[in-house]
Amino acid sequence: MPALAPRTAKPSRILVADDSTFMRRLLTQALHDAGFDVVGQAADGDEALSLYRELRPDAMTLDLAMPGMDGIGVLRALRGERSSLPVVVVSAFSPAHGARAVDALAEGAFDLVAKPAFGEPLEQFVRALRDKVSQAATAGPGATLAAPARLTAAPTARTADGASGVAGPQARRAPAASRKVLLIATSTGGPRALAELVPALPSPLGAGGMIVQHMPAGFTASLAQRLDRSSKLTVVEAGGGEVLRPDTLILAAGGSHLRLGDDGVARLTGEAAVGGLRPRADLTIADAARVFGERLVLVVMTGMGKDGLKGAREVRARGGRILAQAESTCTVYGMPRAIVEAGLADAVLPLGELAEAIAGETGS
């Protein structure tokens, strides 16, 4: 069992919403043991909204599949009330649940924790729950539900050669040997930020790119599909064996590390989680820096922790370029802060300016 968070005079007040009596008990006990004050338990969406209005908690854990108003309905209702309540979705995984979880992030959920499968040890679940609820409870205005991401934009029409049917600036093709590779690293708030950034990128984009987004196993396929439908670039979840292409972004699969061989071919590994993370961006970044050297453009976006810092040092040592998302547009200014405070960022830009900067850096 992970070490407990230190108790304070005024612990963060949490509302738990789940239709399962067992899960409500499990969540309540885990949060209580970690030093939180669970002020209410709701068995459905209507009760969750009622208790939120009555208790005004600091954060909420929210199941998606509930009778009556479901979790998506709760998020939309909160947004309609202009609530800034940070919500951590606690969801089981299935293909349908995966898509709904990505919907929830688009609707403004702060972050996602996967429910433990039958027979799985609870320690990892409890640790993730504690860390993400703690971040949510202390989050600033960036966690507000008032501005949903455009994650479910209408599909773009691609021609046979992969070009988008959506009007936009024409990409300039640089000589193949000079085209750069993009690598994006992000965590909390990443799905919403990617939903704005990726559709704004041109295709082709340099020599192609990769995304490492911290998400539980099984959920990244849904994220890749949503990004793909709204983007000029093709976005695919890594399965191993992919080769970088100028018209494609490869999204690291949750539950595996995305590594690159000396030939630049992507592979998935089941190595142990690093700092509780799998995928770990540092590993992918270090591989990419070794393979592509000065041709690598690293972009570090919203997320808690310091994943990406070690890899960024390798990028700097090998002559690559590093962009960081500005604090003003981050849900959690953790990963970019580590880059900026270490003096590694070549530019610090708000989310709305990153796409243009990336196109310029990659020669697109």
Side-chain angles (χ1 to χ4, degrees):
M1 185 70 68
L4 301 184
R7 295 183 182 273
T8 62
K10 294 183 65 175
S12 297
R13 303 168 67 253
I14 312 300
L15 173 61
V16 169
D18 198 295
D19 66 332
S20 164
T21 301
F22 169 77
M23 281 304 302
R24 289 198 303 275
R25 289 174 178 170
L26 174 62
L27 291 166
T28 298
Q29 188 63 54
L31 292 169
H32 174 77
D33 289 347
F36 299 100
D37 179 14
V38 178
V39 294
Q41 300 181 41
D44 57 49
D46 293 305
E47 186 178 12
L49 284 175
S50 177
L51 288 175
Y52 158 70
R53 293 163 183 152
E54 174 188 348
L55 301 171
R56 297 293 170 172
D58 298 311
M60 178 193 296
T61 70
L62 180 66
D63 188 19
L64 294 181
M66 295 186 293
M69 181 182 290
D70 65 6
I72 299 295
V74 171
L75 289 165
R76 289 173 177 164
L78 289 169
R79 193 178 75 239
E81 297 181 12
R82 298 188 177 276
S83 168
S84 60
L85 177 71
V87 177
V88 176
V89 169
V90 182
S91 176
F93 172 71
S94 69
H97 281 121
R100 295 289 279 170
V102 175
D103 285 342
L105 293 170
E107 292 290 344
F110 179 81
D111 211 334
L112 169 69
V113 179
K115 289 183 178 179
F118 180 77
E120 287 184 350
L122 293 177
E123 286 82 358
Q124 184 174 344
F125 167 74
V126 170
R127 184 183 302 111
L129 177 72
R130 177 200 66 191
D131 291 347
K132 293 183 179 183
V133 170
S134 179
Q135 285 284 340
T138 56
T144 180
L145 291 149
R150 296 182 299 166
L151 197 54
T152 54
T156 57
R158 292 193 182 90
T159 61
D161 62 359
S164 169
V166 175
Q170 294 295 315
R172 301 184 303 277
R173 297 298 298 273
S178 65
R179 290 183 207 145
K180 294 188 177 182
V181 171
L182 171 66
L183 176 51
I184 299 171
T186 185
S187 184
T188 306
R192 297 176 69 199
L194 291 169
E196 180 175 338
L197 173 65
V198 175
L201 295 173
S203 179
L205 180 71
M210 297 162 284
I211 303 170
V212 179
Q213 162 70 59
H214 298 156
M215 288 186 85
F219 291 93
T220 42
S222 295
L223 178 59
Q225 291 164 8
R226 294 303 181 85
L227 292 172
D228 180 67
R229 288 200 295 267
S230 64
S231 305
K232 305 171 187 71
L233 291 157
T234 296
V235 183
V236 298
E237 183 191 43
E242 290 85 4
V243 178
L244 287 173
R245 294 168 47 91
D247 63 352
T248 301
L249 291 176
I250 301 168
L251 176 67
S256 299
H257 294 302
L258 177 62
R259 307 301 303 265
L260 293 173
D262 291 339
D263 55 2
V265 176
R267 57 191 177 93
L268 301 182
T269 71
E271 300 163 87
V274 180
L277 299 173
R278 191 168 59 188
R280 177 82 181 192
D282 278 325
L283 299 180
T284 310
I285 297 167
D287 285 351
R290 185 189 72 251
V291 173
F292 300 111
E294 63 183 15
R295 294 175 56 208
L296 181 63
V297 178
L298 172 65
V299 179
V300 180
M301 295 170 56
T302 176
M304 67 177 72
K306 296 183 178 181
D307 188 19
L309 176 59
K310 184 176 180 180
R313 296 189 191 280
E314 189 70 15
V315 174
R316 170 65 67 241
R318 294 179 181 267
R321 296 277 292 174
I322 303 171
L323 308 181
Q325 184 179 351
E327 181 178 8
S328 59
T329 58
C330 286
T331 299
V332 176
Y333 190 55
M335 290 168 57
R337 180 197 294 274
I339 300 299
V340 173
E341 291 184 349
L344 297 172
D346 292 295
V348 181
L349 299 167
L351 180 60
E353 297 179 16
L354 279 175
E356 183 177 0
I358 290 169
E361 291 284 350
T362 57
S364 302

